[in-house]
Amino acid sequence: MHLVTEAELSSEEEAVGADDVGSSVEAVDSSVDEVESSVEEVDSSVDEVESSVEEVDSSVEEVDSSVDEVDSSVDE
């Protein structure tokens, strides 16, 4: 029968601990990748919204111009 020494037990614990840490680091890396991907999707959505706002602003300016023309015609 072989008695496990404290040094052997400690060594095994360190090896298992290192595997756990490696696995945890991989999980964190994966989560970071997911967050970065989500941020890119949000950035893209913000760009789309900004583009839509610019289109609305342009349309509002056109309507304002048309209203000014109608006002001018009414004044004449």
Side-chain angles (χ1 to χ4, degrees):
M1 179 168 120
H2 174 74
L3 293 177
V4 177
T5 65
E6 189 174 327
E8 289 174 327
L9 185 58
S10 173
S11 174
E12 282 188 30
E13 286 175 350
E14 287 175 12
V16 169
D19 288 345
D20 289 345
V21 168
S23 178
S24 296
V25 167
E26 288 174 10
V28 168
D29 283 348
S30 176
S31 296
V32 167
D33 289 345
E34 290 175 19
V35 168
E36 287 175 344
S37 176
S38 296
V39 166
E40 289 171 4
E41 290 174 17
V42 168
D43 283 349
S44 176
S45 296
V46 166
D47 290 344
E48 290 174 18
V49 168
E50 287 176 344
S51 176
S52 296
V53 166
E54 289 172 5
E55 290 174 16
V56 168
D57 283 350
S58 176
S59 297
V60 166
E61 288 172 6
E62 290 174 16
V63 168
D64 282 349
S65 176
S66 296
V67 166
D68 288 346
E69 289 175 15
V70 167
D71 282 350
S72 177
S73 296
V74 166
D75 287 344
E76 291 176 357

